């Protein structure tokens, strides 16, 4: 593995750049690839990687160079546990996110790419890797494969394996794309896949509150209350994500496997009760495997798997306690008592 | 509403026949339709209707005229609470099941059709209507609209309304069929719809046990352990059910609405904890609405919504207690203590 760096603008503690790297992948041979990143914060400050779901990217939050909204505005910023005035916040585009790799991608490949990126940026070790959903899987791989590159891992809504039911759900989403591709209805297929995925990201409790209206008849067919919302989510996704990128990153969740007993990095696992993709039982299994290196926090949220995008105050309180303990923050706020804390 | 009867073979207490009826439907105008039924058991014995899911039909179990397996072999028979040596078992094909009605169908239409069928067969009142899944919805409509036609209702895995999350799930299945129909890939669309439906009929617990195997790579794509099972379920369904029939019956679940406070027929509601289509909270809401006419039994089953097809011994024990109390059975067996009994 080797990497060459191309640094973009450096304004107001913001560096946006990319590296050209050669990566030996697990299933797709040796690949040349370009890894794009954003690094925001004062040079020399501790570095925290923030990694999100498969449709997340390097732009976590608005900054001095790119004022557009990021995918996790509520999770970082002034007063947050991850605060780019005191830490360096590093985020990157996942391998395959551009749609340029039409071959199986593994979470191990993502972790190796992170190690290359740290090499290129001269970052010896991260203060923490904070991964949400897919980012948690990548973080677990990084901890297993490159343990000296991070002091702490926070794995939110992700486990050491895909649950078989969640894998089946994703496989059917991929079949929806394939059905669309049968006759150039690619966008309809990807939209439908995303709509099915939304049901796995959210919960019946939320739908029960939001969409409790009678169906209508439209052109002689029944239309239920949630369809407007789901179709809008599908359309938004199609406009943003290439089908190949989505397919290969979806697959990579199902290829994911980490033996947690091999991880020696201190790891906080955050699970959400009612998450339909990552059941609490798998989070418990992960923490059991981590042994003394693992701790578990459980949130109750009607947002299920998407809780990390919606319950940002509660997530931040957990992060503050975790990262604050390493001295970055002056005070450790109390954890609200609606967290169910458990040491397994 | 009127009906003309055509009786088929009458062999060994089995009558297979159909009636031609005219039905004023709620959304599809006045329709001529043919309602096919099977009536099995000694003439003059109490009559029990057994009605299943949207893909169920008049052939509940093998009999002297039709020796092929029915959709609910385990739920009736010698020694069961519903025993065609002592009762008459009546079952019918749902309105629209042949695919001949391409217009919205309502569960109220199904209940009106049952009343016509009872008229034609000279059956004044049923000992009980036992409905599973869609059959439970039809039974609730029958109790609301034609209360004098049944002495008891047993509603298993069905409630007074569709849950908004389950409606969304079904709407996306219908979109899969529409996507297939875009390009004359009707069968692929219906198969995919059925595969998604299977995820709602079963549970993560079952999938976790059955499909806990690593994915494989096939033609450069990931294939997960549950795909063989799901594809087989899809293919079996496509061979059996016309797309139009499935679409219109799926819609009719989402059109379903009954005000339980208007039901005065004694009703046993059986719910399954972990049912992803009919959450326990909706079963509780139904029983609350039924007031003194309603009682609730809750089963725990890893089969979720499909428990009625898999936990036949436990369902039968509930039915035995319920139907036995009206004098058909000599002895009422004890309910196993793994039922959680609750009076709401």
């Amino acid at each position: 593995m080797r990497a060459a760096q191309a640094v973009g603008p450096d304004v107001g503690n913001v560096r946006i750049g990319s590296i050209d790297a050669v990566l030996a992948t697990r299933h797709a041979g040796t690949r040349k690839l370009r890894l794009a990143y954003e690094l925001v914060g004062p040079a020399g400050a501790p570095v925290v990687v923030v990694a999100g779901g498969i449709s997340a990217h390097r732009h976590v939050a608005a900054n001095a160079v790119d004022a557009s909204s990021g995918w996790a505005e509520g999770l970082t910023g002034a007063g947050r546990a991850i605060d780019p005035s005191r830490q360096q916040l590093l985020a990157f585009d996942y391998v395959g996110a551009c749609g340029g790799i039409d071959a199986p991608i593994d979470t191990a490949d993502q972790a190796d790419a992170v190690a290359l990126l740290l090499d290129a940026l001269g970052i010896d070790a991260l203060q923490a890797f904070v991964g949400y959903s897919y980012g948690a899987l990548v973080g677990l791989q990084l901890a297993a494969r490159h343990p000296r590159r991070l002091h702490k891992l926070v794995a939110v809504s992700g486990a050491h394996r895909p649950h078989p039911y969640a894998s089946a759900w994703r496989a059917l989403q991929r079949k929806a794309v394939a059905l669309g591709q049968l006759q150039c209805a690619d966008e309809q297929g990807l939209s439908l896949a995303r709509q099915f995925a939304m049901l796995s990201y959210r919960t019946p409790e939320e739908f029960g509150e939001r969409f409790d209206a009678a169906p209508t008849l439209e052109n002689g067919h029944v239309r239920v209350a949630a369809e407007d919302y789901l179709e809008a989510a599908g359309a938004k996704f199609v406009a943003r994500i290439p089908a190949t990128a989505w397919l290969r990153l979806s697959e990579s969740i199902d290829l994911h496997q980490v033996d947690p007993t091999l991880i020696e990095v201190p790891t906080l696992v955050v699970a959400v009760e009612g998450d339909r993709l990552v059941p609490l039982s798998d989070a418990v299994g992960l923490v059991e495997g981590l042994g003394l290196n693992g701790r578990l926090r459980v949130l109750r949220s009607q947002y299920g798997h998407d809780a990390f995008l919606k319950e940002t105050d509660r997530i931040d309180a957990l992060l503050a306690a975790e990262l604050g303990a390493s001295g970055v923050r002056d005070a450790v706020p109390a954890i609200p008592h609606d967290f169910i804390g458990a040491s397994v």
Side-chain angles (χ1 to χ4, degrees), chain A residues 261-278:
Chain A
T261 65
L262 301 181
I263 292 178
E264 296 184 347
V265 175
T267 300
L268 174 66
V269 176
V270 180
V272 176
E273 196 187 18
D275 184 332
R276 307 211 126 197
L277 283 182
V278 185

Side-chain angles (χ1 to χ4, degrees), chain A residues 72-89:
Chain A
E73 288 291 331
L75 290 170
T76 65
R80 288 299 201 190
I82 302 173
D83 179 349
S85 73
R86 293 183 302 181
Q87 294 134 297
Q88 295 189 88
L89 167 58

Side-chain angles (χ1 to χ4, degrees), chain A residues 43-182:
Chain A
V47 182
V48 176
V49 164
V50 176
I54 58 172
S55 54
H57 44 73
R58 68 186 181 276
H59 190 54
V60 175
N63 58 46
V65 173
D66 182 352
S68 66
S69 288
W71 60 267
E73 288 291 331
L75 290 170
T76 65
R80 288 299 201 190
I82 302 173
D83 179 349
S85 73
R86 293 183 302 181
Q87 294 134 297
Q88 295 189 88
L89 167 58
L90 175 62
F92 60 100
D93 289 349
Y94 286 125
V95 174
C98 62
I101 300 179
D102 195 9
I105 297 167
D106 199 282
T107 51
D109 303 332
Q110 305 286 0
D112 291 350
V114 171
L116 285 179
L117 181 61
L118 298 183
D119 288 344
L121 297 175
I123 298 165
D124 190 45
L126 300 167
Q127 182 200 2
F129 186 106
V130 180
Y132 303 96
S133 186
Y134 190 65
L137 316 189
V138 174
L140 288 163
Q141 291 283 16
L142 187 70
R145 297 169 71 83
H146 306 280
R148 283 186 297 274
R149 307 312 292 260
L150 70 172
H151 294 302
K152 280 190 177 177
L153 171 64
V154 180
V156 182
S157 301
H160 53 303
R161 66 153 195 173
H163 190 277
Y165 183 86
S167 290
W169 204 323
R170 279 184 294 269
L172 296 186
Q173 292 162 31
R174 296 194 291 269
K175 283 191 207 298
V177 172
L179 181 59
Q181 286 175 337
L182 267 185

